[in-house]
Amino acid sequence: MHQAPIPEHRVRKFHKLLQEPVVDLDALRELSWSGVPLTLRPQVWRLLSGYLPPAKSRQAHTLARRRREYADMVPEYYDIPHEERSEDEVAAYRQVAVDVPRTAPNVPFFHEPIIQESLQRLLYIWGIRHPASGYVQGMNDLVTPFLAVFLAEHLPGPMEGWGAAALNESVMLEVEADCYWCLCKLIEGIQDHYTYAQPGIQRAVFRIKELVRRCEAEVSDHLDSENVDFIQFALRWVNCLLVRELPFCLALRLWGSYGWQLDGALIYLSAAFLLSWRDRLTRLEFQDLILFLQRLPTADWSEPQLERVLSEAFILRSSYGDAQSHLRQG
């Protein structure tokens, strides 16, 4: 995984926060907006997701307990004969099996057999244990950032050079457990994105639209005049938390900025992402607008482009964060 160097004074701030007896999560979240040092990402993500408690004295015990709990789920829910599954469980198993090979198509490492099996297992178990929504397409994308960050503790160097031969079942099960619990915490905060009719996604798309209307009327008016509905492009952005819209290494950088307060951060980041194309958008007509917005040319993006989006999102958050009424429906 690649990331521009983080200034030493900021690295020292991370270390200072993480060494406190009780980690100040608000301060850690604010510091993470501008990037998390690669070596500290696993620890920071476990804390900000809520997987680990802020009290340092409880972290090792919690980590060990949670990993044991997940290890016990595997034989209970997954390693059973197929004929012992209910019809709903068989349907869930098949849906996950269809989606896993489609996960992160531009990241070959995720298509190694041991990684595919891990994704299949944890997504199936998550769906069975969360019947309110069950597994929903798109959740496979949400696991990949966690998987990459926690595997980096065991696989040195950039992701492009990783090899599955360096992994064993014991290590993989620990990584898988961490991904499972972080996914639980992530979706806990956005559960209504995945229940019937996806009201959370509908609400988030509305808020993005209202924010763009408020801060960049020219873009909003042009999209309206061309009868382009935000749901036609922003639904996928919200559903997958922008993972599919960026090169994977940049998606990891972006996720650090969410700070796991998705209710607000995703709105500002999505609006800023859209407005990074403002000049081009206002020159396109309906068909070209739809094609452009559904297949944005980000394949060649690097950190400078993403940093501009993050800077604009920070400005939007600073300008509108204390006046939420314009972002709420009804």
Side-chain angles (χ1 to χ4, degrees):
M1 288 179 283
H2 303 288
Q3 179 174 284
I6 291 178
E8 186 58 35
H9 73 278
R10 292 193 61 250
V11 175
R12 288 196 297 271
K13 286 183 179 179
F14 273 102
H15 281 290
K16 185 175 185 299
L17 279 172
L18 294 172
Q19 288 165 5
E20 292 292 331
V22 178
V23 177
D24 183 337
L25 295 181
D26 288 336
L28 184 61
R29 188 174 291 112
E30 197 65 30
L31 189 60
S32 297
W33 179 274
S34 299
V36 181
L38 290 178
T39 57
L40 298 179
R41 265 185 185 168
Q43 186 179 2
V44 170
W45 283 32
R46 289 185 186 107
L47 284 164
L48 290 183
S49 67
Y51 172 31
L52 288 187
K56 197 171 181 64
S57 61
R58 295 175 51 211
Q59 290 171 8
H61 172 75
T62 301
L63 191 63
R65 176 172 56 83
R66 288 300 202 179
R67 286 173 173 175
R68 284 196 307 271
E69 288 174 2
Y70 180 78
D72 290 342
M73 293 178 203
V74 174
E76 181 179 355
Y77 295 103
Y78 191 79
D79 292 339
I80 59 175
H82 215 50
E83 56 270 18
E84 292 184 14
R85 302 185 201 277
S86 69
E87 285 188 23
D88 287 345
E89 289 170 345
V90 170
Y93 187 96
R94 288 175 176 164
Q95 183 61 66
V96 174
V98 167
D99 286 353
V100 163
R102 300 171 177 168
T103 304
N106 298 320
V107 185
F109 181 77
F110 285 143
H111 297 268
E112 294 279 358
I114 192 172
I115 303 299
Q116 291 273 294
E117 175 66 17
S118 180
L119 285 167
Q120 171 78 27
R121 192 162 46 212
L122 81 89
L123 288 167
Y124 173 78
I125 291 172
W126 188 95
I128 295 303
R129 285 179 53 84
H130 295 82
S133 66
Y135 170 79
V136 176
Q137 284 182 300
M139 288 181 180
N140 53 319
D141 292 297
L142 302 185
V143 177
T144 55
F146 295 123
L147 196 54
V149 166
F150 298 142
L151 280 168
E153 292 182 293
H154 306 280
L155 298 172
M159 195 173 183
E160 294 82 355
W162 287 359
L167 297 170
N168 58 51
E169 289 294 337
S170 176
V171 166
M172 202 62 234
L173 192 60
E174 287 189 354
V175 169
E176 191 178 313
D178 292 354
C179 292
Y180 173 85
W181 292 114
C182 284
L183 181 66
C184 288
K185 289 295 185 180
L186 176 70
I187 296 181
E188 187 180 292
I190 52 174
Q191 185 73 42
D192 60 356
H193 283 207
Y194 302 103
T195 52
Y196 178 73
Q198 299 180 301
I201 289 181
Q202 300 282 344
R203 187 166 56 250
V205 171
F206 173 84
R207 293 174 65 191
I208 295 165
K209 178 179 179 179
E210 286 300 292
L211 178 57
V212 172
R213 181 184 64 79
R214 179 74 178 267
C215 68
E216 197 73 39
E218 183 182 0
V219 172
S220 177
D221 291 347
H222 182 69
L223 294 178
D224 282 345
S225 70
E226 293 296 328
N227 295 311
V228 173
D229 194 322
F230 275 61
I231 206 75
Q232 292 171 289
F233 59 90
L235 184 147
R236 187 175 82 168
W237 297 6
V238 174
N239 189 45
C240 299
L241 308 184
L242 292 171
V243 168
R244 291 189 188 178
E245 314 310 317
L246 294 165
F248 188 70
C249 62
L250 296 184
L252 293 180
R253 166 68 184 87
L254 179 70
W255 271 43
S257 295
Y258 287 145
W260 280 264
Q261 288 194 326
L262 295 173
D263 187 51
L266 181 62
I267 306 304
Y268 300 117
L269 286 162
S270 296
F273 186 56
L274 176 67
L275 295 176
S276 66
W277 314 97
R278 52 167 64 80
D279 294 338
R280 190 161 177 178
L281 292 174
T282 53
R283 296 198 301 268
L284 297 176
E285 296 181 353
F286 175 79
Q287 185 172 352
D288 291 331
L289 270 170
I290 293 295
L291 291 172
F292 181 75
L293 287 166
Q294 291 182 344
R295 195 179 294 271
L296 290 166
T298 59
D300 295 327
W301 270 30
S302 57
E303 283 214 30
Q305 286 95 334
L306 180 60
E307 290 298 335
R308 283 196 287 273
V309 171
L310 290 165
S311 295
E312 175 131 20
F314 183 82
I315 292 169
L316 291 174
R317 187 181 70 165
S318 300
S319 300
Y320 298 102
D322 294 330
Q324 291 290 307
S325 59
H326 68 287
L327 296 179
R328 302 197 186 280
Q329 190 168 9

